[in-house]
Amino acid sequence: MKKIDKYIDSVYQDFDGTEKEIKELKVEMRSHLLEIVEELKAEGKSESKAVQIALNRFGDEAQLSHGLMEFFEAQKLFAKKLLRFSIGVCIVGIIGLGWLVILNQMEQNERKDLISNIAAQLNEDTEFSTAEEDEVLKQVNYFSDSLKILHLSIYYSEDGMEEAFPAKVENAEYVFHNISPVNNELVPTKGYALNDKWFMQIQFDDNRNNYIALITLGIFIVFGVLIIIWSILNTYIKKYKRRKNDD
Amino acid sequence: MIKKVIIALLSTVIFSVLLGGINYITMSDKTIEGLWGPMFFFGLYSLPGFFFLGIPLSVLIEKITYQKSFKSNVSLYFTKFVLYFVTGAIAAFVFMMILAIAESEIYLIGQELVSYMMYGVIASLIYYHISLIIGGNKK
């Protein structure tokens, strides 16, 4: 039996745990080994032979269990790293989304400035004066680059904007800017009432925003996929742990 | 799981009534769609959002917060509040993008991004508080 005690001491030599835990585990292991020894003795083996066989068997078992534990520990570590990485990806996505929101708000404000500046130049007369026309053109040129204006045309309608919008470009009273790829059949992105009689149709190039939005979406999709992998892995590890505890 | 479905259904109803009601009150011409029109509209769009994004994301938030220990229930509440807030905004963005791509009208994104994201945040916080009342949370 001294051999068994010596073996148990060697197994728990570098074990990470409290004194109480180690003592309990040692008792459990001892009784398990003694059980095997008794069984072997009942089969007719001598005591020293029975102890040797029991230790050999237990050694194989422990090695297998240790190998499995190492495998699951590696998986657990991988799952942890995966979660950290996916949270990092999510943070990048949130930064991208924040950038998109700020960019979008800045553009919206500039668009509002453009519209209100143009509306401020007009009265409800049926025609523009040369000074009004020059002033509107000045505004369009000022904003055309930063807002990426593709098209800007102004329309007159006795019944107001709701009746006439969307209008074809050929019906425009004034076309101030037109580099839109869809010319005369253009249905602009937005229509704005400048006053009760005049309204404006504008098309902006939203490509830059769309690219940022698509990249951000892509980042969130990657995050979603990573999180799904993490969840599956986590569930798998938990199941293994539960089974091991049941054993 | 049944609890989550009930929470999602209740959230849809409350979200639609709330947003539809606000929309009706602020509407200039109330005769066009009446009260049910906006409510039905919000319900139609939020129901798949709550089911396909709300439930999985709430499970994820539960999983993440379950692994951490919190000093008090108040800190747990606020951590989850922030997580639901951010998740709501992201989910609304993703949901909106999917709809925009499906309709091949990505330019819609540039228009009312913030207001759509706010809808997502409101929806998410409604879901969170209903789950607190019904008790769908583990902790």
Side-chain angles (χ1 to χ4, degrees):
Chain A
M1 293 306 152
K2 262 188 186 173
K3 213 173 176 183
I4 287 179
D5 289 336
K6 215 174 169 187
Y7 176 76
I8 294 170
D9 285 341
S10 74
V11 168
Y12 286 100
Q13 207 172 10
D14 302 317
F15 192 80
D16 194 17
T18 62
E19 209 171 302
K20 197 185 165 198
E21 272 174 353
I22 294 171
K23 205 176 171 185
E24 276 172 9
L25 286 166
K26 275 183 175 178
V27 170
E28 199 181 319
M29 192 174 175
R30 196 169 195 275
S31 70
H32 185 60
L33 280 168
L34 287 178
E35 215 174 279
I36 300 171
V37 170
E38 287 307 316
E39 269 175 33
L40 289 167
K41 270 163 82 178
E43 282 172 19
K45 301 266 185 322
S46 68
E47 189 171 314
S48 62
K49 186 93 180 158
V51 168
Q52 194 53 52
I53 293 171
L55 291 182
N56 285 349
R57 265 193 213 169
F58 202 81
D60 291 346
E61 226 176 82
Q63 212 170 1
L64 190 72
S65 167
H66 183 70
L68 264 174
M69 272 303 280
E70 262 186 1
F71 174 68
F72 275 96
E73 280 303 315
Q75 272 199 339
K76 211 174 136 187
L77 195 72
F78 176 69
K80 211 173 176 181
K81 278 185 181 167
L82 191 69
L83 180 67
R84 278 186 192 162
F85 180 69
S86 44
I87 288 172
V89 170
C90 185
I91 290 169
V92 172
I94 292 170
I95 292 168
L97 194 57
W99 183 31
L100 187 67
V101 168
I102 292 168
L103 211 69
N104 203 55
Q105 280 309 103
M106 280 163 64
E107 274 190 6
Q108 293 291 323
N109 290 341
E110 267 194 279
R111 285 178 191 186
K112 276 179 199 159
D113 285 348
L114 168 72
I115 295 153
S116 57
N117 287 358
I118 292 177
Q121 308 302 325
L122 305 178
N123 52 43
E124 292 185 6
D125 295 345
T126 49
E127 272 184 37
F128 281 14
S129 67
T130 322
E132 283 173 338
E133 224 178 305
D134 285 348
E135 202 50 50
V136 174
L137 196 62
K138 215 167 103 185
Q139 291 294 329
V140 174
N141 289 336
Y142 180 76
F143 284 102
S144 72
D145 281 343
S146 62
L147 285 178
K148 294 191 188 315
I149 302 171
L150 293 179
H151 175 91
L152 193 147
S153 48
I154 295 184
Y155 303 76
Y156 182 82
S157 168
E158 279 293 330
D159 307 318
M161 178 188 157
E162 275 179 24
E163 295 299 318
F165 180 78
K168 279 192 173 178
V169 181
E170 58 200 37
N171 298 330
E173 300 289 333
Y174 300 92
V175 177
F176 284 98
H177 194 80
N178 196 11
I179 52 164
S180 171
V182 222
N183 270 324
N184 289 329
E185 291 303 315
L186 173 84
V187 179
T189 311
K190 282 267 177 184
Y192 298 98
L194 298 169
N195 55 39
D196 288 343
K197 308 281 182 194
W198 291 92
F199 73 94
M200 177 167 76
Q201 294 194 148
I202 318 178
Q203 191 182 41
F204 297 104
D205 181 4
D206 277 328
N207 270 343
R208 184 183 57 180
N209 279 1
N210 292 343
Y211 288 139
I212 300 169
L214 281 172
I215 291 168
T216 312
L217 178 73
I219 292 170
F220 285 127
I221 288 172
V222 169
F223 166 69
V225 172
L226 290 176
I227 278 295
I228 289 169
I229 296 171
W230 172 77
S231 299
I232 294 169
L233 208 60
N234 217 25
T235 317
Y236 183 57
I237 293 168
K238 268 186 189 164
K239 259 188 190 170
Y240 167 76
K241 268 189 178 172
R242 211 175 298 144
R243 209 181 302 153
K244 206 170 176 297
N245 284 342
D246 290 345
D247 289 347
Chain B
M1 192 60 201
I2 295 169
K3 259 186 187 174
K4 297 258 176 218
V5 172
I6 294 169
I7 294 167
L9 279 174
L10 268 174
S11 306
T12 309
V13 173
I14 293 175
F15 178 74
S16 313
V17 170
L18 194 75
L19 269 292
I22 292 171
N23 205 282
Y24 178 74
I25 293 163
T26 54
M27 209 184 277
S28 56
D29 189 359
K30 293 182 171 55
T31 52
I32 298 173
E33 288 175 279
L35 179 60
W36 299 109
M39 277 187 195
F40 181 73
F41 173 81
F42 280 106
L44 195 72
Y45 278 91
S46 62
L47 189 72
F50 276 117
F51 272 86
F52 296 115
L53 291 171
I55 294 178
L57 289 172
S58 80
V59 172
L60 180 69
I61 291 173
E62 292 305 319
K63 264 193 172 181
I64 289 171
T65 48
Y66 194 67
Q67 288 185 346
K68 309 272 171 226
S69 56
F70 291 90
K71 280 180 186 167
S72 66
N73 280 339
V74 180
S75 60
L76 175 65
Y77 171 81
F78 282 109
T79 308
K80 279 190 178 179
F81 190 95
V82 171
L83 282 174
Y84 271 94
F85 190 99
V86 175
T87 312
I90 295 171
F93 168 74
V94 171
F95 189 54
M96 205 177 91
M97 282 289 287
I98 292 167
L99 286 181
I101 291 169
E103 289 171 11
S104 312
E105 287 180 344
I106 307 176
Y107 67 81
L108 279 172
I109 293 154
Q111 309 292 318
E112 283 159 359
L113 186 68
V114 177
S115 53
Y116 278 112
M117 278 164 65
M118 281 319 291
Y119 287 147
V121 170
I122 293 166
S124 176
L125 292 178
I126 287 174
Y127 185 100
Y128 173 42
H129 288 93
I130 291 175
S131 71
L132 280 180
I133 295 164
I134 291 186
N137 293 336
K138 283 178 189 171
K139 227 170 178 180

